[in-house]
Amino acid sequence: MVRLIRFIIDGHALEALGILLAVLFVRWVISILSAPTTSHLPQATSDTLLGAHAPEAPALTPEPTEAPSSPVSMTLALGLLAAVLVLGGILIINRDSGGRLHVVASGKHPDREIDLRVDDVPVEPVLRVGQHLAYPIPSGPHEVHLLDPGVGVSRDFRIDVQEGDALMLSVHPDLCAVQIDMSTLTYGRPTRSTPTLMGGVDVRTLPVVTRFTDTASPLRIPEDGFLSFNELPEKLPQGRTASILTPLPCSLAQDDRSSWTAVRTLFPGLDDAAKRVGYTDADPTRREVTAMDNAQLLELHQRQGAALARETPP
């Protein structure tokens, strides 16, 4: 019973109702099938031929016998069982596990310093990888309060959570996020370039996928996005990509080129990887590529090919 009450307090009232109905139903079926009945003994009869009454037979204690299953009772039991199974299936299918709020903290001990409250209730992280913390949050609308003492600014968000949401909160209104494609930098995959109108003409673009500059709203984490380098998978499946979402001052995230320069400065290891796989300051951004005509695309393709041939040892 204590576990059932705790289950309800944790927000699983429908599941608790289904469990309770199932238990009551099973007990009801058992009580019907095990209910005893008494057999009626024949009464003593008088012998009219002799003109006398035979003495009454001594009363015997009837033996309990199992009642035959009534077709109506069995039909009702099967119907109720089907209803309970359907209800249980609906509860399992519709069970909502909520989502998660993700924060990249600034301090050395983020799990002890970050104060995150959902509807005025403190929430403890369920994941910590370096500066990355993740907090569970139920589905539905919520008021979220966030304080990172390292930046000294408290933040308030209004969030409508759907099941499976992974949302990143900015700890400061002037702290944006930049998504960097790591497919080449970490795994050596061919650089993911902006599609061009010229068939067979591939060009290398800077690995800035996108920039998130609306810090007043939660950022929906992309499917291939990770919030720390330690979380990147060891191997990347064929056809998949992986990227890093890293906080960056909004003043440095005004365009893709300045964002790429700032990220390489903040993470020297990323700069080393960029040089190792051939990224240069002359590489265009994706937006620049979409504005090029065919002649410019062909010239860029040939220039990058020649540079790669010079850097590749014979």
Side-chain angles (χ1 to χ4, degrees):
M1 181 60 70
V2 173
R3 292 184 179 179
L4 183 62
I5 294 174
R6 182 63 183 173
F7 201 56
I8 296 174
I9 293 175
D10 289 340
H12 303 290
L14 288 178
E15 291 90 336
L17 176 61
I19 294 173
L20 183 60
L21 289 177
V23 171
L24 293 176
F25 168 74
V26 171
R27 293 188 61 181
W28 178 78
V29 171
I30 293 176
S31 66
I32 288 181
L33 296 180
S34 62
T37 60
T38 58
S39 59
H40 297 283
L41 297 176
Q43 299 293 327
T45 57
S46 58
D47 190 346
T48 53
L49 294 177
L50 298 177
H53 294 279
E56 293 185 357
L60 298 177
T61 303
E63 293 291 335
T65 59
E66 293 187 357
S69 299
S70 168
V72 176
S73 298
M74 290 301 298
T75 302
L76 181 59
L78 291 176
L80 288 175
L81 176 61
V84 170
L85 293 177
V86 171
L87 175 61
I90 293 174
L91 291 175
I92 293 174
I93 294 173
N94 293 331
R95 181 172 180 177
D96 192 338
S97 57
R100 287 191 176 185
L101 299 179
H102 298 259
V103 175
V104 178
S106 61
K108 295 181 179 180
H109 305 286
D111 53 340
R112 298 200 302 265
E113 297 172 354
I114 291 291
D115 180 18
L116 188 138
R117 300 171 182 268
V118 176
D119 300 326
D120 253 352
V121 178
V123 182
E124 294 297 324
V126 293
L127 170 71
R128 178 192 171 187
V129 182
Q131 306 300 102
H132 172 205
L133 301 175
Y135 300 82
I137 183 170
S139 295
H142 300 284
E143 300 280 345
V144 176
H145 175 81
L146 172 63
L147 172 62
D148 182 349
V151 298
V153 175
S154 63
R155 310 222 53 202
D156 294 298
F157 302 89
R158 289 185 177 181
I159 300 176
D160 192 356
V161 178
Q162 306 296 322
E163 183 178 11
D165 275 352
L167 305 173
M168 177 181 176
L169 304 180
S170 175
V171 298
H172 193 281
D174 294 329
L175 201 59
C176 296
V178 176
Q179 183 181 0
I180 304 296
D181 180 18
M182 300 298 294
S183 303
T184 300
L185 294 167
T186 299
Y187 307 99
R189 294 285 180 84
T191 53
R192 184 170 62 179
S193 59
T194 301
T196 69
L197 299 178
M198 297 184 65
V201 175
D202 298 325
V203 295
R204 184 176 63 242
T205 57
L206 296 182
V208 177
V209 179
T210 189
R211 295 168 290 109
F212 300 93
T213 57
D214 180 13
T215 63
S217 302
L219 183 163
R220 192 172 299 277
I221 299 176
E223 184 177 354
D224 69 343
F226 299 87
L227 272 65
S228 77
F229 292 99
N230 293 335
E231 295 175 86
L232 290 169
E234 291 186 8
K235 295 182 179 180
L236 197 60
Q238 188 67 31
R240 299 294 298 273
T241 59
S243 60
I244 282 289
L245 278 172
T246 179
L248 194 68
C250 294
S251 59
L252 301 178
Q254 297 302 309
D255 56 61
D256 290 356
R257 188 170 295 280
S258 64
S259 299
W260 174 234
T261 301
V263 169
R264 290 175 66 176
T265 303
L266 289 174
F267 302 102
L270 196 61
D271 183 54
D272 294 339
K275 293 176 180 177
R276 185 174 63 252
V277 298
Y279 282 111
T280 70
D281 293 336
D283 290 334
T285 66
R286 295 167 185 242
R287 179 174 296 182
E288 290 169 347
V289 167
T290 57
M292 292 180 179
D293 58 25
N294 288 352
Q296 292 172 318
L297 288 172
L298 183 59
E299 188 275 333
L300 175 62
H301 172 73
Q302 293 172 344
R303 176 159 42 89
Q304 288 182 340
L308 180 63
R310 289 194 301 269
E311 295 172 0
T312 303

